[in-house]
Amino acid sequence: MSKPLSFYRSYFLSKTMSFLRRKNGTDSSKTRVADPNIKKGGADDDDKKKDQYKIPQRRNYGSKKWSCWDNCCWFIGFICSIWWFCLFLYNTMPDSIPQFVTMAITGPLPDPPGVKLRKEGLTANHPVVLVPGVVTGGLELWEGRHCAEGLLGKRLWGGSFGEFYKRPLCWLEHISLDNDTGFDPPGIRVRPVTGLVAADYFATGYFVWAVVIANLAHIGYEEKSLYMAAYDWRLSFQNTEIRDQSLTRIKSNIELLVATHGGKKVVVLPHSMGVQYFLHFMKWVETPAPRGGGGGPDWCAKHIKAIMNIGAPFLGSPKSIALHFSIEVRDIAALRAQAPGLLDKDVLGLQTFKHLMRMFRTWDATFSMIPKGGETIWGGLDWSPETETVNNSAKKGTDNSTRNTGGNGNICNTKGVNYGRLISFSKDWAETHSSKIERVDFKHVAKGDKLTNSSNCDIWLEYHEMGNRAIKAVADHKVYTAGSILDLLHYVAPKLMARGASHFSYGIADDLDDPKYDQYKYWSNPLETKLPNAPDMEIYSLYGVGLPTERGYIYKVAPPSDCSIPFQIDTSVDGDSEDSCLKGGVFSGDGDETVPIISAGFMCAKGWRGKTRFNPSGIRTYNREYKHAPPANLLEGRGTQSGSHVDLLGNFALIEDVLRVAAGATGEDIGGDRVYSDIFKWSERINIKL
Amino acid sequence: MSSLRRRKPINESSDSKHNEEEEDEDHDDVDADGDDDVNGKNKKTPSKIKKKRGEKPPKQPKWSCMDTCCWFIGCICIIWWLLLFLYNAMPASFPQYVTEAITGPLPDPPGVKLKKEGLEAKHPVVFVPGIVTGGLELWEGRECAEGLFRKRLWGGTFGEVYKRPLCWVEHMSLDNETGLDPCGIRVRPVSGLVAADYFAPGYFVWAVLIANLARIGYEDKTMYMAAYDWRLSFQNTEVRDQTLSRIKSNIELLVATNGGRKVVVIPHSMGVLYFLHFMKWVEAPAPMGGGGGPDWCSKHIKAVVNIGGPFLGVPKAIAGLFSAEAKDIAVARALAPGFLDNDIFQFQTLQHVMRMSRTWDSTMSMIPRGGNTIWGGLDLSPEEGNSCAKKREKKNETQIADQAGSENAVCKAKSANYGRIISFGKDVAEAPSSDIERIDFRGAIKGHSAANTTCRDVWTEYHDMGFAGIKAVAEYKTYTADSLVDLLHFVAPKMMARGTAHFSYGVADNLDDPQYKHYKYWSNPLETRLPNAPDMEIYSLYGVGLPTERAYVYKLSPHAECSIPFKIDTSADDEDTCLRDGVYSVDGDETVPVLSAGFMCAKGWRGKTRFNPSGIRTYIREYNHLPPANLLEGRGTLSGAHVDIMGNFALIEDVIRIAAGASGEELGGDQVYSKIFNWSEKINLRLDEEIPVHSSR
């Protein structure tokens, strides 16, 4: 419904525009013609007089010649006719014309990788499993409240989002989960869409997996050799099994794929959060039956050839901190691309932010993205893997220069940035050396002391139960690292974190043989689990580099009002120089705009490389980085060399790698590691027992 | 364009005094016009203006024809937008209010009603779509199909049919030799519930049933659409797509994830035969079958609820294969009325269609099975002597309300020889068999091709037949179910060679004969045994009360070089017999005659028979057709037509009850309006298991 509406709206706009233009045109032509001959002007005047003189007459006769109304009608009709004519031409045009035009402008396009590799003789070999990430999978309604009548079987998420605009509150009600259980509220059943359509396009024209699928099809893949492991990305991983038996379905479908392809193992392509989901799956499937899938200890070795993680947030993403703390993450890239400015507008009435925050907070899966590994990985108050310690300033200079010459240092100047401080209250605290910061512990400050009359706030947020004193205590702590950030979240949102902590864990295991690590909440944390015993398997980490990625934030206490979120990113804070990493209150590092390199690359670069305690069977790992290059021109759409989190799925180099592996190549065959960033150097600095 | 149009009046107004005068005249003209209007008591209309301009064309610079058109279109557009805006602003429940105001309160859909009764989702459900209704999408195509990757070629909007018909035909056709895709083309079935929920926008197939099941708690994980490529022969779906393996795996998954509860399978139309094939396949040992072991069905299937099942084939398939004149594969007709008659494929539409559909092996699964034993011989048929009108005597009370609707179904079958499925000429169809002189066509020599068969761009085997062959066919005069198969072998040897490799149409003498282990017998209920699953139930749900094609009167078509030489003689009518437009009708659901849908459950499988050695219980549920009460009801909630029955509330209620755990007895056992039991009685088919003695002799 919304499509025709918006269509007509834009149509109408263009129409009025051209109407104005045309009017000007006629006026000018009139004057132009009139100028050389004054007499004509007189004639015009005469005409006008006559017109004035005649109007009453005409009215008497009831004749409506060229009234304003007629003009409008004429005009609209005229535009419509032309529009239809053009539409007709467009429809009769052979399909290849746009391509000709593009070619004429940009020169011949490179063959898409599927076509290219087909010419090389590659054919479909191993079946492929796609695991979509957060947000990109479609959700549809199976049972709803009264306000959602007529939406049965329609998509609530993905697709056109038509209903979102039409009945926002109803939509929110259905897409939110129950705050206590983490499942659907009673009377509502929202379920993941299944099949390849679940995540081929996120919204109309915004591809996710579609390009990969199309290229796989070029070398002979089809529906029977592809499987989209769609799951409800709002639920915690184990809950998808409890409610939908998603893990069982994935297991059964992988077994089916292997069986129908003559025993060829599958190549798994998880993207974004799907990476963690698949880590969880691998532990689940080998765990004995009541809690796990009961596939036996060699299930993975028998069924999986390779896992090609794309844009993997193995160790979480700092962005999720901002999301949980104040929902000010600028972009879940896809959502933003779909509706620019959507989050800033008040489409949900007042209090958009809090509505969204409330919704996000009911989604357990978002907890999986909180940075894992604490200060060991993400850096402490005065150090971080991405920056040298202050003592080695000389070394840092060379480091910077090499990065600049390497063409990769242009993200920003990392000098003096304390990436370890994920949240700082004010720029000063972000830059001062830790010894000079006086921090006040907030954990014991009693809450309560509610903000005056919070009964006005019809939406529920745990902030309303905090009180002024607690807010001040939080701000007085001044700086939070990856370790203390968990305490912070536990403090500001205890209920939420209680739910989160029962499904996810963010630490580093000391002893992986400790029986407590059999519990499912550790399964998606690569630092607290062992990889399966599958020496022939390969693990790839494919990710984009060369884009500024949120890495730390500067916060301020928002001007107090009753129902607002008391903390905000201080967007007024900018770095001192042009290339400073601090912009708009956000410290950026290198990455793919969502996942910093350290999160995507560390496990494959160091944590799992060789035989380590996390990888006892010595599964081979490969890092493949793809340098971001913006699309050369508008005709290229989202680009074939993009490195950003979702657009990476359209990157030709990445697709080529995927195709080669699916067609049977090993990591060595495609060239082993391919690295642009300093991930190996950074990994060196991370001091972790292996 | 616009500048031209606009400049004209300006130029003229500023050209010279002369023009000014002219304009002056114009105004006067118009004023006079106004006078006219007032005098004629007419509002000024565009047409009026046009007329006037015809009289004085050069003097009307402003209200030109273009202007009027534009003005008119503008008005329409504005009104349209206004309405659109109102429509969008209207609350969603408004149409329902209107409907209720007109027709009175609507009955609850069965899902809602049964939810109130406390029914809940219990057994997982598997849908097996029929022929034609499943979507097909393109995975690899020729050059002409560029940009259609993963777009639907079949189902959905059918936009491409209109845009590039020949390209579409090329991609939808299969290879004539192998029965698989031609090289360079991969068209694959759509999977998931979307595969067959709607056939075309607004034309539901499974959607209503799915929506009602969802009401009592079903969702994606408890429902499975066993989509397959309905163009292929059944075994080829496994060879190419491993479809049968996928169905097996998915049923096992459904049972496993639903706590061991067995599935309820709901096949529709050809899906019924497909699922029969599946049940044999899954228990057959591994190289040819699925290797599920001899008790797979009893472990995994609670009930098979066949909807509109053409167990024994449909006579309509004959007409379709013989002359492409099946007036409807019901769905296609409803989708685009007159579609087949228009020449959108340029000339020779019918041959194109024929050629395409002949490459589809699955159509041959619908050829009537069981031969004369089931369908009747020259002078006898099970339905014989029953007037169509009297079929309803059993339920006369309910019929009174039905009178209007049943009128079109009323025709007397007093002397129709249904056994003669094809007759050349009406007199032949009616004459007693002793009067008919038949010349055997089987020996007739073909070749002697019709003069210059250069019209080879559309290939049908008729062009290889020649005059002699055509004449021989016509001189045999009348064909029963047995000789029909021979006829098809004669007119289309290549096609039938492919067909007989995958399907069989006979009645087995001895089911223990090892030949019946071959997959080509698996979809024929008369040549296979049901699986050993005494707890399973088999239902046959079908519509009655609609005239259904049963036999045809053919004629030789006026000879043109590239046309199909046989045509249904649409001029043949007979009030007394059920003959109309060359077609004899009997009771059924417009596609499947009652006999085909009901016989197996009424007699062939009832009790312990040789076809049903473990005594699986069978039930027949008939649904009497009632046309929709008014337009607002759409395709009706009481329909009995082949596809529309999927929206029949009574049927949906039965299905939901079964899915929620009810047995056939709890539903009320058989529900019969037709004379299916009488007719079944007349069919002389051996059912007892004494065969081993016979065969050992």
Side-chain angles (χ1 to χ4, degrees), chain A residues 248-312:
Chain A
T248 311
R249 295 164 81 91
I250 294 173
K251 172 172 176 255
S252 160
N253 274 291
I254 290 180
E255 284 167 357
L256 175 66
L257 282 175
V258 173
T260 55
H261 285 79
K264 283 178 192 148
K265 300 181 202 169
V266 297
V267 171
V268 185
L269 301 181
H271 175 235
S272 187
M273 195 179 79
V275 169
Q276 301 195 2
Y277 190 70
F278 200 75
L279 283 179
H280 187 94
F281 170 79
M282 285 198 293
K283 291 303 285 184
W284 173 87
V285 77
E286 299 201 336
T287 304
R291 288 174 311 117
D298 55 354
W299 193 93
C300 291
K302 271 190 202 155
H303 291 90
I304 302 176
K305 172 188 187 268
I307 304 171
M308 305 192 80
N309 302 292
I310 300 172

Side-chain angles (χ1 to χ4, degrees), chain B residues 206-217:
Chain B
W206 293 93
V208 179
L209 184 57
I210 291 172
N212 279 293
L213 283 168
R215 298 265 187 195
I216 66 161

Side-chain angles (χ1 to χ4, degrees), chain A residues 72-125:
Chain A
C72 284
C73 281
W74 177 86
F75 193 75
I76 290 167
F78 185 69
I79 299 289
C80 281
S81 310
I82 291 191
W83 175 254
W84 289 331
F85 186 66
C86 290
L87 212 71
F88 173 76
L89 282 183
Y90 176 79
N91 271 312
T92 50
M93 184 178 69
D95 281 335
S96 48
I97 281 196
Q99 212 189 329
F100 280 135
V101 174
T102 317
M103 274 198 188
I105 298 175
T106 62
L109 295 172
D111 269 344
V115 176
K116 180 181 146 198
L117 294 177
R118 187 187 194 167
K119 284 176 190 156
E120 283 184 24
L122 264 67
T123 49
N125 192 358

Side-chain angles (χ1 to χ4, degrees), chain B residues 414-494:
Chain B
K414 73 174 181 224
S415 69
N417 294 310
Y418 288 125
R420 305 175 188 179
I421 293 181
I422 286 185
S423 321
F424 278 89
K426 188 184 162 196
D427 42 341
V428 176
E430 287 170 356
S433 61
S434 51
D435 295 350
I436 305 175
E437 284 173 36
R438 301 204 292 176
I439 300 168
D440 201 350
F441 63 91
R442 291 176 185 97
I445 306 146
K446 294 198 207 173
H448 184 43
S449 296
N452 52 348
T453 37
T454 43
C455 44
R456 269 307 173 78
D457 52 339
V458 269
W459 180 96
T460 57
E461 288 183 75
Y462 283 122
H463 300 141
D464 295 334
M465 271 181 70
F467 293 124
I470 292 170
K471 191 152 168 289
V473 165
E475 279 177 355
Y476 193 64
K477 284 177 183 141
T478 175
Y479 297 85
T480 60
D482 275 342
S483 50
L484 264 175
V485 179
D486 295 331
L487 171 65
L488 288 174
H489 268 291
F490 183 72
V491 299
K494 289 187 199 163

Side-chain angles (χ1 to χ4, degrees), chain A residues 662-678:
Chain A
T666 65
E668 297 305 326
D669 294 341
I670 62 170
D673 289 327
R674 162 183 154 150
V675 173
Y676 297 97
S677 71
D678 292 334

